[in-house]
Amino acid sequence: MGQVAWKGLFLSLFDYKTEKYVIAKNKKVGILYRVVQLSILAYLVGWVFIVKKGYQDTDTSLQSSVITKLKGVAFTNTSELGERLWDVADYVIPPQGENVFFVMTNLIVTPNQKQATCPESVSIPDALCYTDGDCPAGEAVVAGNGVKTGRCLKDRDNIRGTCEILAWCPVEKRSKHKKPLLASAENFTIYIKNSIRFPKFKFSKMNVLATSDGSYLKSCRYSTEHPYCPIFLLGNIVRWAGSNFQEMALEGGVIGIQIEWNCDLDKAPSECNPHYSFSRLDNKFAEKSISSGYNFRFAKYYQDANGVDYRTLIKAYGIRFDVMVNGKGAFFCDLVLLYLIKKSNFYRGKKYEEVK
């Protein structure tokens, strides 16, 4: 039985096969067949080519650079700092504008700190004590400001006190302004210069109007009428992101600025335009949470006449802006030129070089 099967398989290698077509004289079957054909053709032409532009080659490897520059001044008068004028060198961090920058809108200032011993803050749980034994010398205060010295400091009639620490004294103040100190930052302006390039098609463009009028950028503001004036009011950006500037300025937060370049490069370069969108990236619904807002600390150091080191500690609250650029470029695909037109041989000869 096995030999017969192998013999039949071997002989079948020399068989010739051809297709047989059956023509069904049935209108219903014929109509259904043509409907299926037309549906496939409509899908290819309508969806693939017209809607999705499948005849185009795309470049998603967008190359981009972002430069930012802020303008604006503010005046404050506080007990810690007195009368003070704030300009961009004071409230913008980092000073060199990039795609991520921070604008300080509120702050807590602890001036004239020096390294010494002083009581730890009563708001630090690990610093609370009843006896000196609760403050082992050399132990760092958990989530505190310094190292314990071994002494428990109490007021006159209090049973409980706080550990003495070696730290920058006095320790940081905890009181915060009920209104943002730099509330006028709402009217500051930000200039966002974005240059993009689609390397595959060697196409480059900027989001700034090409003009020789030097006063244009000094007077214009971004709007639907001026899409190539990338100068925005900070208050408008926060409002477009769905938030209130004064509320956000008190605790801080994060705003995303999205620039989209989706360009059909078969059209004129003037048709390739940036589209802006704005969103709040931190959780705006958690403003009453202990983790809400955005803040960090930095210090400014100096010495007195005796050479003693001092510093002014600043806890800065503000709004961080993240500029994100995305996009894709689409261009007429070679497939059409190489295979679907009468002069396809000519285009293939120009595109491909034969090397012997």
Side-chain angles (χ1 to χ4, degrees), residues 262-283:
N262 293 322
C263 299
D264 185 349
L265 301 181
D266 291 330
K267 299 179 180 178
S270 60
E271 297 295 319
C272 177
N273 299 315
H275 297 277
Y276 300 89
S277 59
F278 309 89
S279 58
R280 184 162 181 177
L281 301 182
D282 63 317
N283 187 0

Side-chain angles (χ1 to χ4, degrees), residues 176 243 247-248 250-253 280-295:
K176 185 172 57 179
S243 295
E247 293 177 358
M248 193 174 185
L250 187 63
E251 294 284 349
R280 184 162 181 177
L281 301 182
D282 63 317
N283 187 0
K284 68 178 181 179
F285 300 107
E287 291 180 348
K288 303 301 181 181
S289 169
I290 58 174
S291 62
S292 65
Y294 184 85
N295 65 77

Side-chain angles (χ1 to χ4, degrees), residues 86 107 109 169-170 255 270 345:
W86 299 78
L107 66 157
V109 180
C169 297
I255 293 291
S270 60
N345 291 331

